[in-house]
């Protein structure tokens, strides 16, 4: 009986420990980024053109980015937004090298559009 109670308390303690750790963590403050995106000054995924030529460019860039083996998961998930005149790249990447690779992959497939690189290099806080 004593061993059963001891086991029960050990399991209960293990179950509560992650909850205690989470309560002290601070949430990321994205207020400035959210305000920037709501202002209308920044291109967002809602600005993506539905013209087939623009969608084809997005698809070609996305395939190249996903196929590139050295890129991190974040780099493979950057936003690619196109219209008839430009391709906008947004989101976090792990390094300046990843930023450069994604930029070049987009330029190689932009079909005459200007590439606007707004990729952000993640910082470790």
């Amino acid at each position: 009986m004593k061993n059963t109670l001891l086991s029960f308390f050990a399991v209960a303690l293990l179950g509560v420990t992650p909850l205690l750790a989470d309560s002290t963590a601070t949430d990321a403050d994205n207020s400035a980024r959210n305000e920037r995106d709501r202002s209308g000054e920044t291109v967002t995924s809602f600005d993506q053109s539905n013209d087939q030529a623009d969608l084809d460019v997005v698809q070609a860039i996305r395939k190249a980015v996903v196929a590139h083996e050295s890129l991190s998961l974040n780099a493979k998930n950057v936003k690619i937004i196109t219209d008839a005149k430009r391709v906008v790249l947004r989101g976090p990447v792990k390094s300046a090298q990843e930023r450069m690779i994604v930029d070049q992959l987009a330029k190689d497939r932009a079909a005459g559009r200007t590439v606007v690189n707004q990729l952000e290099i993640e910082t470790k806080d």
Side-chain angles (χ1 to χ4, degrees), residues 39-52:
S39 72
E41 297 173 14
T42 305
V43 176
T44 67
S45 55
F46 293 112
D47 297 311
Q48 172 61 48
S49 164
N50 284 324
D51 182 71
Q52 190 60 51

Side-chain angles (χ1 to χ4, degrees), residues 53-116:
D54 296 329
L55 296 174
D56 290 343
V57 169
V58 170
Q59 183 179 27
I61 295 169
R62 176 70 63 206
K63 282 183 178 181
V65 168
V66 169
H68 201 285
E69 293 181 9
S70 73
L71 295 176
S72 68
L73 188 57
N74 278 354
K76 291 182 181 195
N77 284 314
V78 298
K79 291 177 182 71
I80 303 167
I81 306 157
T82 60
D83 60 30
K85 298 178 184 174
R86 65 186 173 175
V87 174
V88 178
L89 304 171
R90 295 195 56 212
V93 293
K94 297 251 182 220
S95 66
Q97 182 179 7
E98 280 194 341
R99 186 176 195 270
M100 184 179 67
I101 291 170
V102 173
D103 185 68
Q104 190 59 53
L105 291 171
K107 286 177 178 174
D108 291 346
R109 291 155 183 82
R113 293 163 178 80
T114 301
V115 174
V116 179

Side-chain angles (χ1 to χ4, degrees), residues 19-26:
L19 296 175
L20 294 175
D22 287 343
S23 67
T24 59
T26 58

